Amino acid sequence: MIEELFSLKGKTALVTGCKRGIGFAMAEALAEAGADILGVSASLEPEGSKIEQRIKEIGRNFKGYQCDFSDRKSLYEFIKKVKEENKQVDILINNAGTIMRKPAAEHPDEYWDKVIEVNQNSQFILTREFGKEMIKRGSGKVIFTASLLTFQGGITVPGYAASKGAIGQLTMAFSNEWAGKGVQVNAIAPGYIATDNTQALREDEDRSEAILARIPAGRWGKPKDFKGPIVFLASKASDYMSGSTMLVDGGWMGR
């Protein structure tokens, strides 16, 4: 039955950056498909968060964690805690990220270092540490959140562009080694989505108008636009798909 291909019953998904926006919608969708959720964000409340309330409304289990992915020590402590407190992670959603804007000629080391640590280094470490357990079991799903800047250079965000370009390469690198071991690694590249990360762009009248003019769908994307794609990539329905970056961009890259 087609429903069984998309079912996530009995699975546990770790969703980073789950407190708001795309990550919230992804966690919600995975729970609606039957998965229990382990959620983490830098400012996530240990108990009583909106995402916890929503997951429990759906009827699934939720456990929340707080971790600053720019702090390497905290990252390893988080990984250790998750492994000690949970049987296993079947699905890893590498969605957490940050963006810091300043022209390249003025872009300080601190901006570069933080963005690369959060968006690239921590995601490599998370994938390696949870992926090695997936390899032992012979099954698992890893999904990165990439970006249009996986393919383009952007403006005033050199660190973000570099990190998201790296995500595209990491997706293929992990896939090359793990696809034959039962672990599929893919990415989703959002287009221009109405979230905190794009608030500055949406408030810039000229930039916002220029962006909308290029999007064939004629609108900014919404977090809910990622619910179908994330369930597909996390489920058996995508078992023969690995190393790919799926565009969810309203047609932007086809223009």
Side-chain angles (χ1 to χ4, degrees):
M1 298 291 290
I2 192 67
E3 292 89 350
E4 294 177 3
L5 280 178
F6 290 89
S7 173
L8 299 178
K9 289 180 180 177
K11 303 294 184 181
T12 297
L14 172 57
V15 184
T16 74
C18 70
K19 186 174 180 177
R20 60 177 68 87
I22 293 172
F24 189 109
M26 287 178 169
E28 182 180 40
L30 295 169
E32 289 172 341
D36 291 324
I37 306 298
L38 307 176
V40 58
S41 289
S43 60
L44 184 68
E45 303 89 339
E47 295 184 1
S49 65
K50 290 183 179 179
I51 185 62
E52 177 179 5
Q53 293 173 26
R54 178 60 188 135
I55 299 307
K56 288 185 174 179
E57 284 176 2
I58 295 168
R60 306 312 310 167
N61 297 318
F62 179 88
K63 187 177 291 185
Y65 297 89
Q66 189 176 96
C67 182
D68 178 359
F69 285 174
S70 69
D71 183 329
R72 188 73 62 91
K73 181 180 178 182
S74 295
L75 174 63
Y76 276 109
E77 289 173 349
F78 162 70
I79 292 169
K80 180 180 179 182
K81 189 173 184 181
V82 170
K83 289 188 175 185
E84 289 175 346
E85 295 181 354
N86 302 279
K87 181 180 177 181
Q88 66 188 48
V89 171
D90 302 291
I91 303 159
L92 172 62
I93 310 298
N94 282 314
N95 173 71
T98 190
I99 189 166
M100 304 186 81
R101 301 177 186 276
K102 214 169 187 67
E106 304 164 19
H107 209 80
D109 290 355
E110 310 88 76
Y111 279 27
W112 175 273
D113 291 343
K114 181 172 182 178
V115 171
I116 294 298
E117 192 66 29
V118 173
N119 294 8
Q120 178 180 323
N121 297 344
S122 70
Q123 298 196 30
F124 169 75
I125 293 168
L126 285 164
T127 304
R128 181 189 67 202
E129 294 304 308
F130 288 108
K132 63 177 64 175
E133 305 299 331
M134 295 178 182
I135 290 170
K136 289 178 184 177
R137 297 193 302 270
S139 66
K141 300 281 186 173
V142 178
I143 301 109
F144 289 94
T145 296
S147 168
L148 291 181
L149 300 196
T150 300
F151 310 98
Q152 301 176 321
I155 300 171
T156 74
V157 288
Y160 185 83
S163 69
K164 291 302 183 177
I167 290 303
Q169 295 300 116
L170 279 175
T171 298
M172 293 185 287
F174 278 119
S175 174
N176 288 344
E177 296 189 38
W178 294 358
K181 299 176 181 178
V183 180
Q184 292 82 49
V185 184
N186 292 290
I188 294 177
Y192 285 93
I193 313 302
T195 65
D196 292 349
N197 273 1
T198 60
Q199 184 174 350
L201 291 177
R202 287 181 285 118
E203 291 177 349
D204 183 325
E205 189 174 334
D206 291 338
R207 288 291 307 280
S208 182
E209 184 178 343
I211 287 167
L212 280 172
R214 176 172 166 165
I215 301 173
R219 66 172 175 87
W220 286 77
K222 301 175 182 179
K224 69 179 183 180
D225 291 320
F226 295 85
K227 296 181 77 171
I230 199 66
V231 170
F232 167 65
L233 290 178
S235 69
K236 292 180 180 179
S238 62
D239 277 357
Y240 197 59
M241 183 174 177
S242 197
S244 296
T245 297
M246 177 190 292
L247 286 159
V248 182
D249 65 348
W252 174 279
M253 286 299 294
R255 194 67 179 261

